[in-house]
Amino acid sequence: MRRRQQPTPSPSSSSDSDGSDIESCFNTGDKQEETDAETEPTDVNTDIDEDDEADLPDLEWLAHSDNAHTMPIYVDTDVNGDDEVDLAWIAGEENAHPPEYYLDQENNSDESEDEDKDYSDGSLLLLDIIEGNFHRYCKYIRKDPARVIQAVSRRTLKAFFEWILNQRQGKGGRRLAGIQSASTLGTYWKVFRLVYERATREKIEGKMNHHMHRVLRKLAKKYRLSTKKRDNVAMYIKDLAGVLQTNLTTTKQRYTHGRQRIQTSLFCQLAIFSANRPSALLKLRYGDIAVNLLRDPSGGPHRILIEFTCEFTKKNTFVLPEIIFDPSLILSPHVALLGLIFADNAFLAPSLTSAERISELDIKPGYEQLPLRLKPEMADIPVLRKSIRTPYGWEISPDQPLPYTTLLKWMKRLGVLTGFPQITRPYSLRYGAGNAFNQSGDVSDALQNMMMQHAKVNTFIKHYLRRTVTVDTRAIVSGYEPQRDLMRAACRMTRWIDPDRPQELTPEESLSVNQDPVVRRLVAEREKWKRRFQGTATQQPGYRIIGRAIFNTRQRLRAALLKYVQERWDLEHPVDEIERQLSGLKLSQDVKTTLDQNDEMPPLQKRLAETVMTLPGTTIEEEFRRRNAAIDAVATYCHFQEGGAAALPRKRSSTRRTSPMPSKEANPQLAAAEAEKQALSDAILLVFTEKRTTTCFLCLGEQSLPFEKRTYKFASPGDLTKHFKRKHLAHIKEGDRPKCKVCRMGLQHKQHLQNHAESIHGTVS
């Protein structure tokens, strides 16, 4: 491991302070007004960079007479004898604007627009939040916000921040979590200083800044805010392998569309291999990606080379070569990305439609690569896109990127299902990659700063370096060989995996929250509304408000109960396990694999997991077949609708299918396929012949839905009507032209679909 360069000490990052933890949240040195005021606030992960503005080159040497000949300066010398310049070429049509346009710019342009700083979307969101809170505070005390901020005083600022600390309810009665840590309060103060600067074009003076640090420390003590720093949980490559395996095989985490399962894997792979910020990867477009077939300089088979550039950050380009005989394709971004490209039909070559066709390509003699160009018209299409609801189910948006909040929710859930007690976030991958780069002898400080987009290594030390010492200090001090493998195992998240840890409440525990006094009082209040407005209670705004309050209170109580159950498990389970083993009971050696534990996986998901998790082949041909099968499985799964968090329809004891049972001698897979084909034919016949059918003809015609959903029979025609209204009609917008895929015909509008459903398919709405 290389020797790290020591960072240059600065007044704002002194390590000699003996102050308490609560003071360190606000104490930023004597020159705070010169440094922190220029710091741009970032997202809630405190991934704060130094000022990254590049220094302007020193151009004074150009003015020296001795250097006049070194720089060619092109000057138009087309001047007539009267020293009048011929302006014909200047006033040409291609030079756009007339002279009056530029005179207007000189005389009437708003200089304040040029002084505004160019903040990121996350920084602007923070600024708007604090500014909105300040306006609401001024409205609460009946003062004009513009006048208050122009004449802001220490007492006003103290009162404002104490008002923020006392807020418990937000807009629409939404319950606020409130400020829990002193560092959050310090961040609010930094952001307010930028709000003040944006409103007044001036910075808060140094004396007031120092005074407010003392005020904030006292407020933190008064409201008992936590001073404990959150450990930056780093997810390393082996930790990620477990998460991605869970993502591929679990049925407890269900996405609305199968492509989202693939996108989650691709995001994690690109994040761990590049250490990019999540927001940068979520904005990745097809125009930022290059795919090439590269000649192996060692004489081996040609490799697929992926290059991607995050254009919305500092445009670092990362090069990822394919690994032949990769022990696990589950960590291969080539499989996930090429699967998405094939699913979107994004290759420019019309015949390049499957992974098998890539294996047929070669590189001409004299060339080192063969570019696999993507379609130029897809250059601005995000690679990771959100799903949208349509009358036919869930589809992938053609141009809307995947939101960070959605990805965060998925990753937290996957961490729970994997068995991690720590909260897994997208930033955990950036922390893990950053620490891996920092410990590698192949990555210099300069290269690390470039990849992490940091101006100085101090930023990494302050915000990314783990508080847990990851080296074998005892061996180093004692002169022994450090136990590196053991230390890596001790510092990984997989060390803490507990598959038996409670992941959700039991039905009995979930129902127990109904006995809470607050829930019982709200339920009683709702019953009064029902009796008062018989038959029309659900239309009353007050009734709906009480309903939301009941739902939110139950959710909050269940979350608190689950946290309590998990904390008790973490404390008591190791003790029970010790007592069980010391009493003479042996450990069970029966460990099921992930695939064995998920027998309810849809066939497409099972095929995806089996192809991606296969072992490497023994020959190049077998390895390419393994890779191509995984890519094709990914591309196929990207067109599959999973249906969201709702469970699959319950299987009935008696089936209504009329397909004959396959013979025992027949191939089971062929027999199952024939049975499904016959069941589909029978269902299609029924939606044309039954007067009041119980099968949804729109779901039946949607080939991307699972077979069970396409042929599902509702208990009654009335239940089908509810489904038809809620799942299909409610999502038809003005101007949409719905389709009946069973009849293979287009319909003019929503009412046309309703008439068609009743007259042709026996579905009343």
Side-chain angles (χ1 to χ4, degrees):
M1 184 171 65
R2 74 184 190 279
R3 187 183 183 93
R4 278 283 167 190
Q5 179 181 354
Q6 294 298 323
T8 304
S10 63
S12 62
S13 59
S14 174
S15 59
D16 299 327
S17 175
D18 295 327
S20 64
D21 289 340
I22 197 168
E23 292 178 351
S24 66
C25 296
F26 312 104
N27 184 15
T28 54
D30 296 333
K31 296 185 179 181
Q32 180 72 27
E33 67 276 10
E34 298 178 6
T35 57
D36 285 349
E38 298 294 333
T39 302
E40 294 185 8
T42 58
D43 52 26
V44 294
N45 290 279
T46 67
D47 187 11
I48 303 173
D49 287 356
E50 301 285 342
D51 187 4
D52 294 336
E53 294 181 351
D55 294 332
L56 292 175
D58 186 3
L59 300 181
E60 294 182 357
W61 63 276
L62 287 175
H64 199 278
S65 58
D66 293 340
N67 295 323
H69 66 281
T70 62
M71 177 64 68
I73 303 178
Y74 298 96
V75 181
D76 192 296
T77 58
D78 188 11
V79 182
N80 59 20
D82 297 330
D83 295 335
E84 293 181 357
V85 180
D86 183 3
L87 300 180
W89 63 275
I90 298 179
E93 294 181 358
E94 296 185 358
N95 289 330
H97 300 294
E100 291 76 15
Y101 172 83
Y102 300 102
L103 290 173
D104 181 70
Q105 291 289 317
E106 289 186 13
N107 299 327
N108 302 321
S109 61
D110 187 1
E111 294 182 358
S112 62
E113 295 179 358
D114 302 327
E115 296 176 359
D116 291 339
K117 293 187 177 180
D118 187 15
Y119 295 113
S120 65
D121 293 340
S123 300
L124 289 175
L125 179 61
L126 279 175
L127 288 168
D128 293 340
I129 289 174
I130 300 301
E131 187 177 43
N133 283 335
F134 186 76
H135 286 185
R136 283 188 288 274
Y137 167 73
C138 293
K139 183 178 180 181
Y140 183 71
I141 62 174
R142 298 180 179 86
K143 288 186 177 181
D144 182 18
R147 293 184 177 180
V148 173
I149 201 168
Q150 291 292 338
V152 69
S153 64
R154 299 176 181 180
R155 293 181 178 179
T156 300
L157 292 175
K158 179 181 178 181
F160 168 59
F161 279 96
E162 187 153 10
W163 177 82
I164 288 181
L165 288 168
N166 283 296
Q167 297 307 294
R168 293 292 179 268
Q169 195 173 36
K171 187 177 181 180
R174 182 171 56 90
R175 183 177 180 272
L176 300 178
I179 297 177
Q180 306 295 330
S181 66
S183 61
T184 303
L185 188 63
T187 301
Y188 274 35
W189 166 241
K190 291 180 181 179
V191 177
F192 178 82
R193 288 163 54 190
L194 297 178
V195 171
Y196 176 85
E197 183 179 348
R198 186 169 67 172
T200 64
R201 308 294 174 187
E202 296 179 358
K203 296 181 180 180
I204 290 181
E205 60 179 2
K207 291 183 179 180
M208 181 178 291
N209 183 35
H210 293 311
H211 174 79
M212 282 304 301
H213 287 178
R214 292 192 293 271
V215 170
L216 295 178
R217 284 195 289 269
K218 292 180 179 179
L219 288 177
K221 291 179 180 178
K222 177 180 179 180
Y223 288 88
R224 299 181 180 179
L225 301 184
S226 172
T227 59
K228 183 179 179 181
K229 292 185 177 181
R230 187 188 73 189
D231 187 22
N232 296 334
V233 178
M235 185 183 295
Y236 296 103
I237 193 68
K238 289 194 175 181
D239 305 324
L240 179 60
V243 173
L244 294 185
Q245 181 175 343
T246 301
N247 181 51
L248 280 184
T249 59
T250 185
T251 55
K252 294 182 179 180
Q253 164 72 355
R254 296 191 56 221
Y255 301 89
T256 55
H257 200 281
R259 182 188 175 103
Q260 294 174 333
R261 193 179 293 270
I262 306 301
Q263 291 182 161
T264 303
S265 295
L266 179 61
F267 170 85
C268 293
Q269 293 159 356
L270 296 182
I272 195 73
F273 295 136
S274 68
N276 264 303
R277 291 183 174 87
S279 58
L281 290 175
L282 292 175
K283 294 177 181 178
L284 192 68
R285 307 165 303 177
Y286 277 120
D288 305 326
I289 295 174
V291 183
N292 296 279
L293 198 62
L294 184 69
R295 189 186 301 278
D296 187 352
S298 302
H302 303 327
R303 309 293 183 94
I304 299 175
L305 187 73
I306 292 176
E307 299 173 85
F308 65 96
T309 304
C310 293
E311 291 288 340
F312 291 92
T313 53
K314 298 181 182 177
K315 302 186 179 181
N316 294 336
T317 298
F318 291 86
V319 182
L320 302 178
E322 180 186 15
I323 298 177
I324 304 296
F325 300 110
D326 192 344
S328 176
L329 294 179
I330 204 170
L331 292 169
S332 172
H334 298 74
V335 170
L337 179 58
L338 289 175
L340 292 178
I341 292 175
F342 282 122
D344 287 336
N345 193 24
F347 279 118
L348 185 60
S351 300
L352 195 55
T353 56
S354 66
E356 186 66 31
R357 306 308 299 270
I358 296 180
S359 300
E360 301 174 11
L361 300 176
D362 200 356
I363 301 175
K364 291 176 60 177
Y367 289 78
E368 294 299 321
Q369 69 171 7
L370 175 63
L372 309 181
R373 301 294 187 192
L374 302 180
K375 294 179 179 178
E377 59 268 24
M378 299 190 67
D380 294 328
I381 301 298
V383 179
L384 308 177
R385 305 195 294 275
K386 64 183 292 186
S387 62
I388 54 176
R389 191 67 180 265
T390 69
Y392 314 105
W394 291 95
E395 295 181 0
I396 295 298
S397 170
D399 54 7
Q400 298 181 43
L402 181 68
Y404 175 81
T405 52
T406 303
L407 178 68
L408 176 62
K409 178 181 66 176
W410 292 344
M411 289 201 63
K412 285 184 176 181
R413 179 60 176 165
L414 287 174
V416 171
L417 295 177
T418 305
F420 293 141
Q422 302 96 334
I423 298 176
T424 57
R425 299 178 176 88
Y427 261 87
S428 300
L429 298 166
R430 179 168 164 86
Y431 296 144
N435 281 273
F437 293 151
N438 184 258
Q439 297 169 11
S440 172
D442 295 328
V443 181
S444 64
D445 285 338
L447 182 58
Q448 175 184 311
N449 290 338
M450 187 199 74
M451 290 190 295
M452 301 288 292
Q453 298 125 40
H454 292 160
K456 300 177 183 177
V457 74
N458 302 56
T459 305
F460 177 85
I461 295 174
K462 184 176 181 180
H463 298 290
Y464 289 83
L465 197 61
R466 293 192 62 187
R467 301 295 177 260
T468 302
V469 179
T470 58
V471 296
D472 190 355
T473 56
R474 178 174 180 265
I476 293 173
V477 173
S478 302
Y480 304 145
E481 183 68 21
Q483 304 177 81
R484 295 185 178 87
D485 292 340
L486 186 61
M487 288 301 299
R488 278 193 287 267
C491 298
R492 286 197 296 261
M493 293 175 63
T494 49
R495 167 192 170 190
W496 304 98
I497 285 182
D498 184 355
D500 298 325
R501 190 172 189 257
Q503 299 175 355
E504 53 191 16
L505 297 176
T506 64
E508 294 76 13
E509 291 171 336
S510 182
L511 290 175
S512 66
V513 302
N514 292 328
Q515 303 305 317
D516 185 83
V518 177
V519 175
R520 297 178 66 177
R521 177 175 57 81
L522 290 172
V523 171
E525 187 69 21
R526 186 173 63 179
E527 291 300 321
K528 292 180 181 179
W529 280 79
K530 284 184 179 181
R531 291 191 296 268
R532 181 180 177 184
F533 301 95
Q534 293 184 0
T536 61
T538 56
Q539 302 175 7
Q540 306 300 322
Y543 181 87
R544 292 196 293 268
I545 291 174
I546 295 176
R548 285 196 300 269
I550 293 173
F551 176 81
N552 293 336
T553 304
R554 285 172 173 167
Q555 292 294 93
R556 187 166 61 253
L557 291 172
R558 285 170 181 148
L561 179 59
L562 177 59
K563 183 179 180 181
Y564 171 77
V565 170
Q566 290 175 336
E567 289 176 349
R568 289 291 302 271
W569 173 272
D570 295 338
L571 178 65
E572 298 175 357
H573 177 67
V575 178
D576 295 340
E577 187 63 33
I578 292 172
E579 293 296 326
R580 187 180 298 110
Q581 293 186 33
L582 294 180
S583 65
L585 295 178
K586 295 184 178 180
L587 294 175
S588 174
Q589 300 299 323
D590 298 331
V591 180
K592 290 186 177 181
T593 65
T594 308
L595 289 177
D596 294 334
Q597 294 176 351
N598 292 279
D599 297 330
E600 297 182 357
M601 281 195 297
L604 278 179
Q605 185 180 356
K606 186 171 291 187
R607 178 198 169 205
L608 173 70
E610 290 173 349
T611 54
V612 172
M613 297 172 64
T614 52
L615 296 176
T618 57
T619 64
I620 292 295
E621 291 74 15
E622 290 182 3
E623 179 64 11
F624 280 175
R625 283 197 294 269
R626 169 186 176 234
R627 178 201 69 188
N628 296 340
I631 293 174
D632 291 339
V634 167
T636 301
Y637 199 77
C638 286
H639 297 291
F640 174 64
Q641 286 192 41
E642 293 193 16
L648 288 171
R650 291 177 295 177
K651 296 181 180 179
R652 301 184 182 277
S653 56
S654 61
T655 179
R656 302 188 188 182
R657 302 178 189 173
T658 58
S659 57
M661 293 296 294
S663 62
K664 295 181 180 180
E665 295 78 14
N667 186 320
Q669 294 182 350
L670 293 177
E674 288 296 328
E676 288 189 359
K677 183 177 179 180
Q678 183 62 41
L680 285 172
S681 300
D682 294 343
I684 291 174
L685 179 62
L686 289 176
V687 298
F688 282 101
T689 57
E690 285 187 338
K691 185 176 181 180
R692 290 296 302 275
T693 184
T694 55
T695 300
C696 178
F697 70 96
L698 288 180
C699 293
L700 183 62
E702 190 58 45
Q703 298 183 5
S704 62
L705 285 174
F707 170 78
E708 293 81 1
K709 285 195 171 185
R710 294 181 66 186
T711 58
Y712 180 71
K713 290 183 176 292
F714 290 88
S716 66
D719 290 340
L720 172 60
T721 297
K722 295 176 183 177
H723 162 84
F724 186 65
K725 290 180 177 180
R726 184 175 64 253
K727 298 295 184 181
H728 300 294
L729 294 181
H731 301 284
I732 299 179
K733 301 176 183 178
E734 187 71 25
D736 287 351
R737 297 174 67 87
K739 297 179 181 178
C740 176
K741 296 185 179 181
V742 173
C743 300
R744 299 181 181 178
M745 63 176 293
L747 304 170
Q748 299 298 321
H749 42 69
K750 181 177 179 180
Q751 188 176 1
H752 190 186
L753 173 62
Q754 291 178 277
N755 294 336
H756 176 82
E758 183 172 357
S759 60
I760 304 298
H761 301 298
T763 302
V764 179
S765 59

